[in-house]
Amino acid sequence: MPLTAYARTGGSDFSSSLLLVRDPSVTHGTPALADCERAATQLAAGGNWHSQGQMVRSAVLVAIGLREGYNPGARVRTFAEFEQRVLHNLGVWSGMSAELISARRLPDRAVQVYREPGALTFADWEHLPALAAIADDFGQDRFVTHDWLAHRTTAYSRTTRKDA
């Protein structure tokens, strides 16, 4: 199954926690809740991680990458730039820096891993347009929202790409 995790980094290479999420994929679909629970249990069974169960928040979690597009050599925005933009546009925010990680099994059974620095933001739904504008300004091709109360994960993508 496709697996996506947000590694809480706090600006260092050390990760104090992983947040596993359902992430819709055009190629691989969206994993079932039971599959996600099974993956979390297997990860915790390895001995290095402890599961804290499902995270339920009344706000939506928005994950936004800081690299423009997917090219590894592209410009990377700083977490401070993101935080400043959110505070300027919304006046308040709750969030953290994170490493956005996705792993997808390829047809040849190899695993394709993608990583980039990012930001996780807990926000109310009415803040989504401002966050979408920031994602657009930061050159994101897509960003994801997670609504645990509705058991819904949504990937938003550009309808057109900006020319480089």
Side-chain angles (χ1 to χ4, degrees), residues 61-122:
L61 175 68
V62 181
I64 296 179
L66 298 176
R67 179 181 296 126
E68 294 182 0
Y70 293 107
N71 184 331
R75 178 181 179 191
V76 177
R77 302 290 186 128
T78 67
F79 179 74
E81 287 177 273
F82 177 81
E83 183 177 31
Q84 181 180 36
R85 283 291 302 277
V86 172
L87 287 172
H88 178 323
N89 290 313
L90 301 177
V92 65
W93 90 294
S94 174
M96 66 199 79
S97 64
E99 184 82 9
L100 309 183
I101 306 165
S102 68
R104 306 290 188 257
R105 187 172 297 281
L106 300 174
D108 66 358
R109 313 257 330 136
V111 176
Q112 178 185 33
V113 176
Y114 176 79
R115 301 173 67 135
E116 80 172 279
L120 301 181
T121 302
F122 292 101

Side-chain angles (χ1 to χ4, degrees), residues 2 6 15 19 23-24 27 29 39 42-43 45 49 51-52 61-62 80 82 97 104 106 115 141 149 153:
Y6 304 133
S15 176
L19 177 61
D23 190 1
T27 306
Q42 290 173 351
L43 184 61
W49 298 95
S51 175
Q52 295 180 338
L61 175 68
V62 181
F82 177 81
S97 64
R104 306 290 188 257
L106 300 174
R115 301 173 67 135
D141 290 326
L149 296 180
T153 297

